[in-house]
Amino acid sequence: MTVRQMMAIVSVTSGALLLVASAAVPATATGAQSFTCVSSDADTCVVTIALTSNMNETVTSTMPDTQPWSLNEAGGDGTVNPPYTLTSDDFGGDFEGPPGSTQGHVWTETLTTGDNEPAGGAAVLTFRHVTSTPAAKPYKSLTWTSPNTAVRHQSVTVTGNAKPRPAKGHMVLQRKSGSRWKTVETLTYKSKLHAWATTFTWTSARHVTVTYRLEAKAAPGLLTTPGGAFKIKTA
């Protein structure tokens, strides 16, 4: 009987779910085979493991996330319906750790097939968050101040605030160009002002009016949120 070891690792980065599974080839060989788990949303990830005859594999899933996970479904594709079994080795296979755990624990089960496993099939394991991730929402507010006019070759300052407070580099000034908005400045938080601010040299010619807006970038739980448009005219 061939024995192989598999490891699945799940993590959340910038709102995207990533799962990588690797299976070491038999003990006499070296190297690893990799599987990729595809996420359909922030709460679901599916890993597909090719099946062969006489498998007896320990499937271990380490999920360093702040939300508990569960093995939601053990299905199959191809010729599999599924003629394999998953035997719980610890914690019933329900969570990635003991009851009450929230992150960094290990879920383990044993995957086995018989000697008549048909070719071309795969085990399809679906993981889900036990509690759904709250939907991302816009920033609660986004305000700004700016001059109505500017003198060529002199400084212009635009300030803004957003709730909740954006991360560093997440408050930007955009200029309208045709139907698009182009980021032209990144605001810096000024503790004395209790606001974000940017100062730049005004270079537009006389009688020119430029349309701007502030935008707070997406963050965990927050959507990218643009502010209203405002105009500055060359004095």
Side-chain angles (χ1 to χ4, degrees), residues 134-160:
K137 298 180 180 180
Y139 285 77
K140 292 181 180 179
S141 66
L142 179 55
T143 59
W144 61 93
T145 61
S146 71
N148 295 320
T149 60
V151 177
R152 197 175 187 196
H153 304 308
Q154 293 190 5
S155 295
V156 172
T157 297
V158 176
T159 64

Side-chain angles (χ1 to χ4, degrees), residues 1 5 16 21 29 38 57 79 106 134 142 147 154 157 206 208 215 217:
M1 179 178 294
Q5 300 294 317
V38 179
E57 311 195 8
T79 57
V106 176
L142 179 55
Q154 293 190 5
T157 297
R206 292 186 62 185
V208 170
E215 184 176 84
K217 297 296 185 181

Side-chain angles (χ1 to χ4, degrees), residues 67-97:
Q67 295 177 256
W69 288 83
S70 65
L71 175 63
N72 184 254
E73 182 181 359
D77 66 1
T79 57
V80 181
N81 196 25
Y84 67 90
T85 60
L86 280 174
T87 304
S88 174
D89 293 336
D90 62 355
F91 311 125
D94 295 326
F95 297 91
E96 83 286 18

Side-chain angles (χ1 to χ4, degrees), residues 183-198:
T183 297
V184 292
E185 298 284 335
T186 299
L187 280 68
T188 302
Y189 190 76
K190 306 294 185 180
S191 57
K192 290 184 178 180
L193 297 176
H194 300 289
W196 298 84
T198 182

Side-chain angles (χ1 to χ4, degrees), residues 38-179:
V38 179
S39 59
S40 57
D41 56 52
D43 292 313
T44 308
C45 193
V46 181
V47 64
T48 302
I49 302 173
L51 298 178
T52 59
S53 299
N54 297 319
M55 295 174 73
N56 181 25
E57 311 195 8
T58 300
V59 181
T60 301
S61 182
T62 302
M63 302 184 178
D65 188 10
T66 57
Q67 295 177 256
W69 288 83
S70 65
L71 175 63
N72 184 254
E73 182 181 359
D77 66 1
T79 57
V80 181
N81 196 25
Y84 67 90
T85 60
L86 280 174
T87 304
S88 174
D89 293 336
D90 62 355
F91 311 125
D94 295 326
F95 297 91
E96 83 286 18
S101 65
T102 58
Q103 62 181 349
H105 293 278
V106 176
W107 166 91
T108 303
E109 290 199 5
T110 300
L111 185 153
T112 58
T113 63
D115 57 10
N116 60 344
E117 176 68 35
V124 180
L125 308 181
T126 302
F127 294 91
R128 282 194 59 82
H129 277 136
V130 175
T131 303
S132 296
T133 302
K137 298 180 180 180
Y139 285 77
K140 292 181 180 179
S141 66
L142 179 55
T143 59
W144 61 93
T145 61
S146 71
N148 295 320
T149 60
V151 177
R152 197 175 187 196
H153 304 308
Q154 293 190 5
S155 295
V156 172
T157 297
V158 176
T159 64
N161 264 311
K163 293 183 180 180
R165 181 174 166 178
K168 181 180 179 181
H170 280 216
M171 179 76 87
V172 298
L173 176 68
Q174 297 183 324
R175 181 178 63 210
K176 193 170 186 179
S177 178
S179 61

